[in-house]
Amino acid sequence: MLYDAVQRNLELRFGSRRSPYICTSMSTANRPADQEAELTYSKAAKAELSRDYDVAFRLYVKSAELYLHLSRTWNDNFSVQAGKWKASAAKALERAEKIKAFVDKRKTSSQHDATSTVNTSGVSTILTPVGIDHFSPQEQSFVLKKGASINGLYFPLWDQSVSQMIQIPYEDPDGPPKLSPEQAKVSPVWRHVPPIRTIHARHEILPQEILQHVVTDCSVCASISVCLEHARRFNSNLARDAVFCGVKRGLRTDSDEMLQSDGRYDIKILFNGGWRRVLVDDQLPYHPVNGMLMCMSVLPPRSDPTAAPALWPSILEKGYMKLMGGYDFPGSNSSIDLHAIAGWIPEHIEIKGSSFEREKTWERVAEGFARGHCVLTLGTGVNPYITWEDVDLLSSHSYAVIDVKESDDGRILTILDTWVNPNHEKQFQEPRALQVPWLDVLNVFDGIYLSWDTSLWENQLTFHGMWKRKGQDETTIRHTSLRFAKRSPRVEEEILVLLTRHVTDSSRTMDYISLKVQLEDDMEGRSNFLDQTTIAARGTYTNSTHVLVRTKVLSSMPSGVLSIFASYDGDGTEVGYTLSAYATSDFDISWDETPSSPPFTKKIEGILTSKNAGGNCTYPTFMANPQYHLQMHPERGSASTVGRSKAKVALILQTSRDTPVNISLVYSQGGRIDELVENELLASSGAYSYGMAQVRKDISRNSISNLFTQIISQFKAAGDSTVILSAFEPHHMGPYTLRVESSLPFDLRPIPQEGAGMYAKVVRGTWTRDNAGGGPTSERYSKNPIFEIDIPVLTQFKIRLQLIRPFTPTSLNITIFPASPDDALRRHITTSGAYNDAISGVATPQLSLAAGKYLAVPSTYNPGVEAGFQLLVYTSVAGIQVREKTLR
């Protein structure tokens, strides 16, 4: 039933119940939405009376969505109105269901009763599917609301009202966050923080005063430490601004400690696409014997060791740990934590990565730190034995950087270690500050975690979307376009795109994401031929929740489009994500909210196996890769466009996240390509990229190059090309999906492999010093290895010669002779042609051979070439015998 299906869909999209935390009042903001719903329903009714059932159907569904969305924004004072909105939604869906049933009945009647005299003039009998506008406020709100359920708890958006009906002193109804194993060992007790209402002198917390007691949340401690250093240098409040308290929410005192009149703290965290409210009480875990805090703590101020230490960092940590599922959360990195706490842009630089640039990175880090534009931490690798100048460092640990300077002594980073050894006798230990040279940093640490101030980019956009794995609706690659235009044409700046995966269970570690951002001009298949033999440094999959891509826009590009591909690999059925775009004031940026859908599409699914996974073009097996004949056609009914049509074609190949793949489009007559030749390459996806490759190309049906003969020009004009799908190595195997989109009609057919449907036999041999006789012009041609082929009955026959390990270009030939009693090599029957150094080898044409014996002579052009080779023999009948023969 349409009613039930649409109702379930709307319930899923807008929620079937509301959280007890939410208490939204009726405001004037709802009135236009109410009027819009009524107006939409009225338009639907008029369209139905006019028998325009297609329009009526879509408008009824739209009005139902609006009514149901309104019903989700009520509080207890407006339950009656909410009930009316739900009833109106049900009424609209009922009308849509009746229209669909009526139209289906008309279509069935017309198909089964050709003699029907029913007048259907003016009646629309086709209903356009109702699409979803992913940029609509309702859809954006849906994704954000779905992201409120985190680790089994509900965390509303910050701007949603929260019920003031709480007990004083406040006790968190969700209970305290789960303790880590290190904390649980000492059986800590939860105690209310003593109320501190006035402090005569404000105390500035130094990063050296932060102590870490839980090893798994090192990134949080490092994040707060760098925020404190930034506050000391630039008078900011990055971490402190996340904590709110007092009866009047949102107000904070000017003292070091915030007013606590009811024991409740509201922590403001950017998570799952929006700023969320995390409620905690003022209870913290204390050691049952010595009374020491068993969470992040702050040393007493050095100026007054008897003063009570500040507690807001401990409260902030508690709120973040509640959101992340407890103090035993599986760890993160500081840039991700700072994104949540302060909203700054996270960037991870892999020091050991192939694309790491030492000098450029230093310049960015030193300048950004000095100006207060960024803060940073360092991360160690998994090696359990990490030391620097006899100082032991923890593995997989975050270290705060509190100073970056360059002087006559060199480039130095001041690194802070806040970890407290639980076996240490002293209750309060001073954190260690290490002065580490830049070159030592690059040798000791694995990653640099930067966080950038978002105010550097005046223009910012956000989009919330959803990856789905549900039957037919499997969309794990989302394509979004970002349009940009420069205000200053000579400017050469970067546009940043950040992908954030939404988290519902922080213990999941097998969810992977990838972000690929390309200028559409770079997607036109114009790539360096050398890219066909390399793997792209960007676009790899990661189980991190954030991926940042910087794209430089050259001064020669006044405007353009960034094509953004956000990919997901995991077992989640519905996973939310957020795309954030950042640009300076030199740009105007906007999402392309109405992308055009290609009129012609086709999807093909296949599997790379040991038989067809040929690797990149440096392998002789490249020819075995899956290939498809792509044939473009002019628009139907437009004879005048024949020969002049230009098709906008997009090819998207998707594989598993650990398989680097490439798409190549080659000029052809629709036949199989043995070897990739640069001047025949029509388009390519470029360097091999993990999980996905895509290319877009305008294919002109009369594109003629002066470099080709008239014959080649003829098949190019016919719109024929060969699509080659390949993984980087032959051992990369697994399922793949190819999707082709075009503005013109096309055919896409698989091209059979060489020898398809025939019996295949592989015979190996070797050219040695004694038998490498060279070509026919050499007097030693008959000394080459000779193989006798015994054919029992008439058969179709083809043979290919390949080097087993091509190392240098070697020209080859294979020739077939009839056998004779004296073993003389007389006139040949067939040959592979002129000597050729193709990596795929050389092959004879397919032909018919009668029953009898034949001699196959594999040879190199130059004598004396020592190498192993193989013969691939294809026949249409079984029982063919091939053996090496020694001539008398």
Side-chain angles (χ1 to χ4, degrees), residues 99-121:
I99 289 176
K100 186 175 187 303
F102 173 76
V103 171
D104 288 345
K105 183 178 180 180
R106 282 292 183 114
K107 289 168 61 177
T108 304
S109 175
S110 298
Q111 293 170 357
H112 291 83
D113 186 7
T115 62
S116 175
T117 59
V118 177
N119 181 17
T120 60
S121 175

Side-chain angles (χ1 to χ4, degrees), residues 418-570:
T418 60
W419 167 238
V420 174
N421 189 335
N423 299 321
H424 202 282
E425 295 181 357
K426 290 182 61 177
Q427 180 174 349
F428 294 112
Q429 304 172 39
E430 291 281 348
R432 295 180 299 179
L434 309 176
Q435 307 291 321
V436 184
W438 172 242
L439 292 181
D440 288 357
V441 167
L442 303 185
N443 290 327
V444 173
F445 294 90
D446 276 21
I448 302 173
Y449 300 96
L450 295 165
S451 297
W452 295 93
D453 185 356
T454 55
S455 65
L456 296 173
W457 293 271
E458 292 85 349
N459 295 318
Q460 302 177 19
L461 295 175
T462 302
F463 169 76
H464 311 291
M466 188 79 69
W467 292 300
K468 295 182 180 180
R469 282 187 180 277
K470 285 188 175 181
Q472 298 286 335
D473 187 21
E474 182 167 326
T475 50
T476 56
I477 296 180
R478 290 292 192 181
H479 178 212
T480 308
S481 295
L482 178 72
R483 298 188 178 277
F484 66 87
K486 289 182 181 177
R487 298 176 182 175
S488 303
R490 296 183 180 180
V491 170
E492 186 171 296
E493 291 282 355
E494 289 181 326
I495 295 178
L496 279 61
V497 178
L498 175 67
L499 170 64
T500 301
R501 171 173 57 85
H502 293 186
V503 175
T504 57
D505 183 354
S506 57
S507 65
R508 292 173 58 94
T509 59
M510 298 304 292
D511 290 326
Y512 292 82
I513 59 173
S514 171
L515 178 63
K516 192 171 184 178
V517 182
Q518 284 182 287
L519 289 163
E520 286 206 346
D521 283 356
D522 295 338
M523 297 170 60
E524 293 296 325
R526 298 187 297 268
S527 62
N528 191 323
F529 190 73
L530 294 177
D531 287 343
Q532 302 295 123
T533 61
T534 59
I535 295 180
R538 291 183 174 183
T540 57
Y541 279 79
T542 175
N543 62 354
S544 173
T545 54
H546 296 69
V547 180
L548 179 70
V549 173
R550 294 172 172 266
T551 303
K552 180 174 288 188
V553 179
L554 300 178
S555 57
S556 58
M557 295 190 63
S559 62
V561 177
L562 285 182
S563 198
I564 303 169
F565 291 89
S567 305
Y568 168 77
D569 188 286

